[in-house]
Amino acid sequence: MRREVPLVITGIVGISLIISFFIPHTPFNLLETLFTDWFLIVAAFAIVLGILNLLKISLDKVYKKKKDWFFGLVVVFSFFFIVIPGFGFSGGRGFQNPGTPFFWIYFYIYIPLMSTMFALLAFFVASASYRAFRARNKEATMLLLAAFFVMLGRVPIGYYLSFWLPENYQLAAVADWIMNFPQTAGQRAIMIGIALGIVSTCLRMILGIERAYIGGE
Amino acid sequence: MSTNLGVWIAAFLTLGIMSFLYKDNPIYKFCEAVFVGVSAGYWFVTEYFTVFLPKVWDNVETAINVLQAEGRMDWFHWSYLLGGILGVLMLLRLVPKIGWISRWPLAVIVGTTSGLWLINYLVSNAMVQVRQTIIPLYVAGNLNASIGNIIIVVGTFCGLIYFFFSKEHKGVFGGAAKVGIWFIMITFGASFGYTVMSRMSLLIARMDFLVGTWLGLLK
Amino acid sequence: MKDKYIFRTGVLLIFLFMFTSLFLGMDTCLAQEMGEAEILEDSLAQPPAPPTNVVAKDAPNDNGHALLVTWTLSADDGVGRNNVVSYQILRSDSPEGEFEVRGLVPAGENIFSDEGAKEKEDANYFPPHKDFYYKVRARSDGIFSDSEVSAPAQAYGQWYHTGKTPVLFAVIIFSTFALVFITVARKGKELYIRPLAGIEAVDEAIGRATEMGKPILYILGLGSADMIATIASFTILSRVSKKTAEYQTPILIPCCDPIVMAVAQETVRAAYLEAGRPDDYKQENIYYLTSMQFAYVAGVNGIMIREKPATNFYLGKFYAESLLLAETGSLAGSIQISGTDEIAQIPFFVAATDYTLIGEELYAASAYLGREPVLLGTLKGQDWAKALVMIFLILGALAATFHFQWFLNLLKVQL
Amino acid sequence: MKLFDRLLAIDRRIIFLLVAIAVTLPLFSKTILHIEISPMVKGVYDAVNNLPPGSKVLVTFDYDPASAPELQPMALSFFRHCFSKDLKVIIMGLWPQGPIQANIALEDVFRIPEIKAKNLKYGEDYVNLGYMAGNEVVIQRMGSDIQATFPVDYSGNKTSELPLMKGIKNFDNIDFVYNLSAGYPGTMEWVQFAVDRFHAKLGAGNTAVQAPGMYPYIPRQLVGVLGGMKGGAEYEIIDKHPARAVSYMLSQGVSHAVVVFFIIIGNLAFFATRGKRKTSE
């Protein structure tokens, strides 16, 4: 029962959505909106699940005085540091408007943390290109050559390196050509492949063949 | 130098995260913990105001209003209550004995995506892309366009051969798969180039914040 | 003498006649001139010829809250007096009743879709199964002329969208391929599947972790539980964790999405049960970190540096964090197996991890590891669909080169 | 050979330091570099430039602060272009943080004297409809009724009471859609729904990571795409108002050169030491 009911639900919901694609008549035309909104609602509730989990793990660390317990306390504190002003002092639904305490925290704490995390990638990209991008074989060489032309062709440096060439052979033009033809072809092949893979996986789920996502007994 | 307290806090956090590049240290761990806590809180508040309130609360309110004013059941809006119930069922996972009930909302979700995506990907990324690739191999009087079009058709074709699972890559078939993987690698290379561009931009903006906004060295 | 009088009278009469005719003639001339002036003025003030042939009919392929109105252009639209600026579409529920404006289209257009809301509360509600009458007004500057009132029409919903027939065919063909090969596989026919390096390496990677006495880190990516990449990853996780249960190697799964965490717990618990070691299952090893991308990466990187797992799996939906994870992992000296369908991230996985499953290969991997006939069957069906796509590609390119338009129309999808 | 061995074993922190220097030093320079305009950017620019005054432009902000360095300059120059051409701007977002980014961009654009002089009014010249949860299904719903999809705007005003929204029902009344996107949901969803289903005219600004994936859609489904900060700089140049993105181009160029240099050195060292390693094994 515990496994069969969910599989049946998945199958029915999936098939009814596929059918509704071909039927413009009410109520089929409403199904897509309704199911997607349900999805959002369930996901929103699931956030609660995640947060309880996070708080539990952090507080556990603190109670049991595990290694780094102090940082567990920081997690809990910073969680409430944004949640309390968010619900309490930021004007309800207008909570994100400039001028609210929630916005202040967002602007001066959340944004710098997030964008610095993202910016770290620049360093890792550089070190990865030094240590990992090797012309080991024909395939890797192709990858490197394409990357080389695109990287230089897409910035002003490319112009200064190749302005003496006829316009069609300058780095920028070569980069454009790579993007427009071989890149587009490869992109399409992967895209179509992925699409067919997705269709096939969806079909397996609707038929109840792919069932790992349900878990066990 | 900036005189804004917020800018100083932001600068501290920026440097704290960057200190990870040297090595893992307590200041980084502190910033990391702040990030984890603040971001969880951010999502909690945002989901409440942008999903729970408008999707569950408002719709059920509409349904109740219709019932009171006109005395009829507005099934479409009532069904959002069912969405809310599914959400609550998700929370039952916290109760180990009846945790398995949370598979039902999950099944609804997976059913929704599998139904929607089957069609969407089949149409937009398979059928429409095949349609887009149907281009003349010979364009009168335009050698560049002809060569370009041939490259697109051949590249897409060989790329698809590479993704064949049920046939050994040998002989002509293997050769075509080889050409296919070249095209795929060129795509990855281009994509790598663009990614480098993207990441560097992010770092430039962060450095601009540190040197310009915070220290005020750029005029 | 009488003749003389007759003659003079005659001349007089002729003169009179001539004078009269002169005046008359002037009159006609004047009349003509004045007439032309009037006509000139008239063309400024006279309304354009009305549109004719107004027909309202149910709009095709919809849910029954719209009517399609067509008409023959006014004789003065583009030709004739050429003074039509726009057409207004008016609607009423009775031919004599009051007409309300429903829409405006520029001159030269002869079709309008009158759509309304489907909710009864909406001010713009469009009731189905109700007679409506239309007229179309040709408008010049400030003046207009109305067409005859159309015959009544009703909006009703359709039960099949005719524009989507090619999609229906595609769905049917695809499903048939899949079902046929599932049946073939169930009957016990051996289906050949070419080897994938990333999958062959799974056993070796788990063995290495066991030897070293270190845990295995399995990252399901940033995707939510409904994403196909994540679902494929669940299937692979179930095989991998079954092996870790057999080898008694701990498996750490920090999650970025609470639902993914819940499912991962279920999946791993089931795998341990299947392997006959339910007691080794540790729920606290599968936990939620945070939903935020970089906070999550920061957390996982911390784990990699502190726990130094022997093997890292990155399978699922990955975005910018792919490189951060893979680089940190290689710094920690772990064997890394990766796979995603996010094209922009694959180059980094290719560069910084030991084995990479590219796009579609990730979905196929679950079938590889399971070796279950049904899964292999769908994989085979998928290949056949791919072959069909490739045939269309080649025939299509030839058709486009030699201008066979009918073939191109086959693939036209109207949404 | 010794040199290469040492190079291969180089501490990654030295690489990090070089990158930091390569990015930061050029920030102090005021040099303006030659910037080529690619056809992709010109496609978007021409589409906007050819709109008559009073046309309605829908700008969708589908990104968060993490991608702001790349997309914010695009938002800014696009707003500037629209307002200077007297186009009406409707803002929305499929990412919760998007509309906040739009407000930040509006604040900046109103500081430009030329735009400030126009004294633009909220509700008449521009509106911000805010964020709507629901990803691509939101676009699908907008195809039948935009005002029903967004009953209230960002600050809670009724959409139906905003003068600018009068007469806007669906994509038929929108002359151009401009999508700034950093992932999912983003340009691909706008193509699949707004363009494929409702025939909207779409231009896009993407992070550089995403941009290559958009090429298969051009030109039939997409008029063009601005890729990353370079795309933003090109738009600023073609619009003749160089701003932030242009000023960052020197840093961008130098940092690319450094990465290319690393790849070359890494490979040289790799090949130089490979032969030796083979014999020793």
Side-chain angles (χ1 to χ4, degrees):
Chain A
M1 265 309 270
R2 291 185 179 185
R3 254 178 101 97
E4 281 70 34
V5 174
L7 287 178
V8 170
I9 294 178
T10 306
I12 291 175
V13 172
I15 290 175
S16 54
L17 273 172
I18 293 173
I19 293 175
S20 77
F21 176 78
F22 298 100
I23 305 177
H25 203 287
T26 323
F28 288 91
N29 60 333
L30 298 175
L31 285 182
E32 191 170 330
T33 306
L34 192 66
F35 280 120
T36 324
D37 277 349
W38 279 8
F39 177 88
L40 288 171
I41 295 168
V42 173
F45 273 89
I47 289 270
V48 177
L49 208 62
I51 283 163
L52 289 177
N53 219 299
L54 176 72
L55 294 181
K56 183 175 160 265
I57 290 175
S58 306
L59 288 175
D60 244 24
K61 253 192 208 166
V62 179
Y63 279 131
K64 294 181 185 158
K65 291 263 155 102
K66 280 189 192 165
K67 196 178 153 226
D68 286 344
W69 63 268
F70 171 71
F71 299 111
L73 204 63
V74 175
V75 169
V76 177
F77 177 78
S78 28
F79 174 77
F80 286 107
F81 183 68
I82 189 166
V83 165
I84 293 171
F87 284 121
F89 313 105
S90 298
R93 293 191 196 204
F95 70 107
Q96 281 181 318
N97 281 330
T100 64
F102 185 87
F103 183 81
W104 194 92
I105 299 171
Y106 173 80
F107 198 82
Y108 287 114
I109 296 183
Y110 179 75
I111 292 187
L113 282 170
M114 189 173 189
S115 30
T116 312
M117 275 289 174
F118 229 134
L120 286 190
L121 287 165
F123 296 105
F124 290 105
V125 161
S127 98
S129 17
Y130 181 67
R131 296 161 4 133
F133 280 85
R134 301 270 188 263
R136 282 193 201 98
N137 47 38
K138 238 180 251 162
E139 285 78 35
T141 315
M142 300 286 260
L143 194 158
L144 279 180
L145 279 180
F148 178 83
F149 281 115
V150 168
M151 250 188 281
L152 290 181
R154 278 281 172 251
V155 284
I157 301 265
Y159 172 78
Y160 294 104
L161 282 175
S162 64
F163 68 93
W164 41 275
L165 285 168
E167 199 156 331
N168 278 340
Y169 296 92
Q170 289 183 6
L171 278 170
V174 175
D176 270 340
W177 188 85
I178 290 178
M179 292 304 292
N180 284 332
F181 301 113
Q183 196 273 147
T184 302
Q187 194 81 244
R188 260 195 202 139
I190 304 173
M191 222 169 184
I192 295 173
I194 286 180
L196 294 178
I198 284 184
V199 172
S200 156
T201 314
C202 289
L203 202 62
R204 291 205 290 262
M205 287 190 293
I206 289 171
L207 295 177
I209 298 170
E210 186 107 30
R211 50 175 75 181
Y213 68 94
I214 292 292
E217 206 48 51
Chain B
M1 286 257 188
S2 173
T3 50
N4 181 341
L5 174 70
V7 171
W8 279 83
I9 295 178
F12 167 75
L13 296 171
T14 304
L15 291 172
I17 296 287
M18 281 189 175
S19 72
F20 177 73
L21 292 172
Y22 184 71
K23 69 181 215 194
D24 197 13
N25 63 70
I27 297 178
Y28 171 74
K29 276 187 196 159
F30 174 81
C31 294
E32 178 196 320
V34 171
F35 191 21
V36 171
V38 166
S39 56
Y42 174 82
W43 273 115
F44 187 44
V45 177
T46 308
E47 293 279 317
Y48 176 79
F49 283 116
T50 59
V51 178
F52 182 77
L53 274 191
K55 301 273 179 204
V56 185
W57 190 262
D58 291 358
N59 280 316
V60 173
E61 205 177 19
T62 312
I64 293 175
N65 285 345
V66 170
L67 185 66
Q68 281 176 342
E70 302 169 34
R72 73 187 163 83
M73 293 297 275
D74 178 357
W75 291 114
F76 182 72
H77 284 105
W78 274 118
S79 61
Y80 280 86
L81 187 63
L82 194 55
I85 293 173
L86 284 175
V88 174
L89 288 185
M90 200 71 210
L91 295 183
L92 287 183
R93 175 156 294 276
L94 294 169
V95 190
K97 274 204 174 152
I98 46 170
W100 54 272
I101 294 182
S102 65
R103 290 173 189 175
W104 296 358
L106 189 70
V108 174
I109 283 186
V110 173
T112 306
T113 1
S114 50
L116 279 183
W117 289 28
L118 191 148
I119 295 288
N120 264 353
Y121 274 84
L122 189 65
V123 175
S124 285
N125 284 16
M127 296 176 74
V128 175
Q129 285 308 317
V130 171
R131 181 82 180 73
Q132 294 261 49
T133 315
I134 294 181
I135 39 181
L137 298 174
Y138 173 71
V139 184
N142 189 341
L143 187 65
N144 278 344
S146 305
I147 293 175
N149 285 358
I150 290 174
I151 286 180
I152 288 187
V153 173
V154 171
T156 312
F157 186 84
C158 294
L160 282 171
I161 285 190
Y162 170 77
F163 285 115
F164 250 82
F165 298 109
S166 53
K167 195 159 164 51
E168 211 170 343
H169 288 173
K170 273 201 315 206
V172 180
F173 193 80
K178 194 107 188 147
V179 175
I181 194 75
W182 290 350
F183 276 94
I184 291 171
M185 284 298 156
I186 289 177
T187 304
F188 290 157
S191 162
F192 169 75
Y194 265 83
T195 308
V196 169
M197 189 164 144
S198 212
R199 304 310 179 221
M200 289 303 166
S201 311
L202 304 178
L203 182 60
I204 293 168
R206 243 356 22 215
M207 287 307 188
D208 188 48
F209 165 78
L210 282 181
V211 184
T213 314
W214 179 46
L215 295 176
L217 295 178
L218 301 178
K219 268 284 147 308
Chain C
M1 277 307 282
K2 266 193 181 170
D3 291 343
K4 220 177 169 179
Y5 280 117
I6 294 168
F7 176 68
R8 283 180 184 172
T9 316
V11 169
L12 198 73
L13 278 175
I14 290 171
F15 264 103
L16 265 174
F17 177 77
M18 280 172 70
F19 265 95
T20 340
S21 64
L22 191 67
F23 278 102
L24 279 174
M26 273 175 72
D27 253 28
T28 28
C29 279
L30 265 177
Q32 264 177 11
E33 273 175 29
M34 281 166 69
E36 269 175 14
E38 254 179 35
I39 290 166
L40 269 177
E41 234 171 61
D42 192 51
S43 75
L44 284 176
Q46 206 178 51
T52 48
N53 242 340
V54 177
V55 177
K57 61 171 196 274
D58 176 52
N61 298 329
D62 75 340
N63 55 5
H65 301 282
L67 284 169
L68 203 62
V69 185
T70 54
W71 58 90
T72 306
L73 295 180
S74 154
D76 296 322
D77 183 347
V79 287
R81 265 175 276 192
N82 193 13
N83 59 347
V84 179
V85 175
S86 60
Y87 294 103
Q88 234 173 7
I89 294 84
L90 299 102
R91 185 184 81 177
S92 170
D93 45 15
S94 77
E96 301 83 28
E98 206 166 296
F99 279 79
E100 56 159 338
V101 177
R102 294 292 297 174
L104 187 75
V105 297
E109 288 192 15
N110 63 349
I111 188 163
F112 174 74
S113 169
D114 182 12
E115 294 164 18
K118 44 186 179 284
E119 291 88 15
K120 284 203 179 67
E121 310 73 80
D122 200 300
N124 192 24
Y125 176 61
F126 198 121
H129 304 297
K130 184 179 166 186
D131 275 341
F132 281 111
Y133 299 84
Y134 283 85
K135 56 185 183 184
V136 178
R137 176 172 289 174
R139 284 159 44 109
S140 191
D141 286 325
I143 46 170
F144 55 81
S145 62
D146 286 353
S147 70
E148 306 265 312
V149 174
S150 73
Q154 288 187 347
Y156 54 92
Q158 276 75 37
W159 291 99
Y160 178 67
H161 192 303
T162 49
K164 293 175 176 173
T165 306
V167 183
L168 183 66
F169 272 116
V171 171
I172 291 174
I173 292 172
F174 204 110
S175 317
T176 314
F177 280 147
L179 291 174
V180 164
F181 283 103
I182 289 174
T183 323
V184 169
R186 278 223 172 104
K187 281 191 180 142
K189 188 170 183 288
E190 191 77 15
L191 297 176
Y192 172 81
I193 300 286
R194 80 173 158 88
L196 279 180
I199 291 305
E200 314 268 291
V202 167
D203 275 340
E204 175 206 331
I206 298 174
R208 180 170 177 267
T210 316
E211 273 169 35
M212 292 170 69
K214 292 252 173 80
I216 282 173
L217 186 66
Y218 195 105
I219 309 289
L220 285 149
L222 240 65
S224 49
D226 62 304
M227 285 188 169
I228 307 303
T230 317
I231 284 170
S233 186
F234 284 139
T235 312
I236 302 172
L237 173 64
S238 115
R239 321 284 179 216
V240 169
S241 54
K242 201 172 151 195
K243 294 228 165 72
T244 61
E246 285 161 9
Y247 288 111
Q248 290 182 295
T249 303
I251 180 164
L252 303 177
I253 311 176
C255 298
C256 178
D257 179 303
I259 304 181
V260 169
M261 171 201 74
V263 177
Q265 288 176 346
E266 291 278 346
T267 309
V268 176
R269 200 207 319 262
Y272 272 71
L273 197 72
E274 217 177 309
R277 296 184 188 276
D279 298 337
D280 288 347
Y281 169 68
K282 290 198 183 62
Q283 180 140 337
E284 66 268 23
N285 281 348
I286 305 167
Y287 51 93
Y288 170 80
L289 269 182
T290 165
S291 296
M292 295 309 300
Q293 186 177 21
F294 286 97
Y296 176 74
V297 177
V300 174
N301 279 354
I303 295 167
M304 282 187 208
I305 297 210
R306 283 158 224 155
E307 308 270 345
K308 299 228 183 305
T311 306
N312 301 337
F313 289 92
Y314 312 110
L315 300 169
K317 198 84 183 168
F318 286 86
Y319 302 99
E321 70 284 359
S322 62
L323 174 67
L324 277 177
L325 295 172
E327 263 289 286
T328 317
S330 75
L331 187 73
S334 319
I335 280 201
Q336 311 200 82
I337 298 178
S338 60
T340 184
D341 57 2
E342 196 60 31
I343 303 172
Q345 305 307 328
I346 301 178
F348 298 103
F349 276 155
V350 168
T353 66
D354 302 282
Y355 302 97
T356 307
L357 300 169
I358 297 170
E360 205 187 349
E361 292 179 342
L362 172 67
Y363 311 138
S366 59
Y368 273 84
L369 278 168
R371 289 266 152 203
E372 276 175 35
V374 279
L375 288 175
L376 293 180
T378 52
L379 207 56
K380 187 98 184 164
Q382 192 178 321
D383 269 1
W384 274 73
K386 209 172 295 155
L388 198 66
V389 161
M390 286 157 65
I391 291 171
F392 262 97
L393 215 64
I394 293 300
L395 290 183
L398 292 177
T401 313
F402 299 108
H403 309 291
F404 294 144
Q405 195 54 40
W406 61 269
F407 185 83
L408 305 181
N409 290 340
L410 271 184
L411 283 167
K412 210 171 199 163
V413 178
Q414 176 201 339
L415 292 167
Chain D
M1 284 298 157
K2 266 260 166 73
L3 172 74
F4 284 124
D5 279 330
R6 222 182 274 166
L7 270 179
L8 274 183
I10 198 170
D11 190 331
R12 57 156 60 195
R13 277 172 285 201
I14 293 173
I15 295 174
F16 292 164
L17 191 68
L18 286 175
V19 171
I21 293 171
V23 163
T24 318
L25 270 190
L27 284 177
F28 291 92
S29 163
K30 292 273 175 291
T31 322
I32 299 253
L33 295 168
H34 172 94
I35 292 171
E36 295 266 322
I37 309 293
S38 64
M40 297 292 156
V41 176
K42 199 166 179 316
V44 178
Y45 180 80
D46 288 347
V48 179
N49 217 31
N50 292 337
L51 292 173
S55 302
K56 273 122 185 155
V57 177
L58 178 75
V59 191
T60 80
F61 282 72
D62 305 336
Y63 65 95
D64 59 8
S67 308
E70 288 180 273
L71 299 174
Q72 202 72 7
M74 294 182 195
L76 220 78
S77 54
F78 187 79
F79 277 158
R80 204 212 69 80
H81 190 197
C82 286
F83 288 138
S84 72
K85 290 216 63 192
D86 294 318
L87 307 178
K88 308 288 177 192
V89 173
I90 301 163
I91 297 159
M92 60 164 283
L94 295 179
W95 288 34
Q97 302 99 326
I100 315 183
Q101 294 297 339
N103 278 349
I104 297 174
L106 283 174
E107 241 173 67
D108 287 345
V109 85
F110 290 147
R111 274 195 216 111
I112 301 173
E114 180 205 343
I115 306 295
K116 199 177 179 184
K118 288 191 181 261
N119 212 358
L120 300 169
K121 283 200 186 62
Y122 184 82
E124 285 171 28
D125 301 297
Y126 66 99
V127 294
N128 188 343
L129 298 180
Y131 160 72
M132 179 56 60
N135 302 337
E136 62 269 27
V137 181
V138 173
I139 311 173
Q140 165 101 7
R141 253 180 271 172
M142 289 172 72
S144 57
D145 197 336
I146 293 180
Q147 300 196 14
T149 317
F150 289 90
V152 291
D153 73 354
Y154 186 70
S155 336
N157 306 311
K158 281 218 167 84
T159 315
S160 51
E161 287 165 11
L162 296 168
L164 174 50
M165 296 303 288
K166 291 254 154 62
I168 293 187
K169 186 155 171 19
N170 51 35
F171 289 113
D172 294 345
N173 315 109
I174 302 280
D175 301 289
F176 187 69
V177 182
Y178 187 59
N179 171 245
L180 290 164
S181 136
Y184 168 84
T187 308
M188 190 155 111
E189 285 67 37
W190 282 96
V191 167
Q192 288 179 358
F193 289 85
V195 178
D196 286 354
R197 296 201 186 180
F198 303 113
H199 315 291
K201 199 168 180 197
L202 181 70
N206 277 192
T207 59
V209 181
Q210 266 203 307
M214 296 306 137
Y215 274 69
Y217 296 126
I218 295 167
R220 270 193 228 170
Q221 290 151 292
L222 198 59
V223 296
V225 61
L226 278 64
M229 203 179 256
K230 171 73 186 328
E234 287 175 34
Y235 202 94
E236 287 172 5
I237 293 285
I238 196 174
D239 190 31
K240 297 186 187 67
H241 277 79
R244 212 185 305 165
V246 170
S247 73
Y248 285 159
M249 269 308 111
L250 185 62
S251 283
Q252 185 90 52
V254 173
S255 63
H256 282 212
V258 166
V259 171
V260 169
F261 174 76
F262 280 151
I263 294 182
I264 293 174
I265 295 290
N267 275 289
L268 278 181
F270 174 71
F271 283 111
T273 54
R274 191 168 66 169
K276 209 175 72 182
R277 262 182 289 141
K278 262 185 191 155
T279 48
S280 67
E281 266 164 15

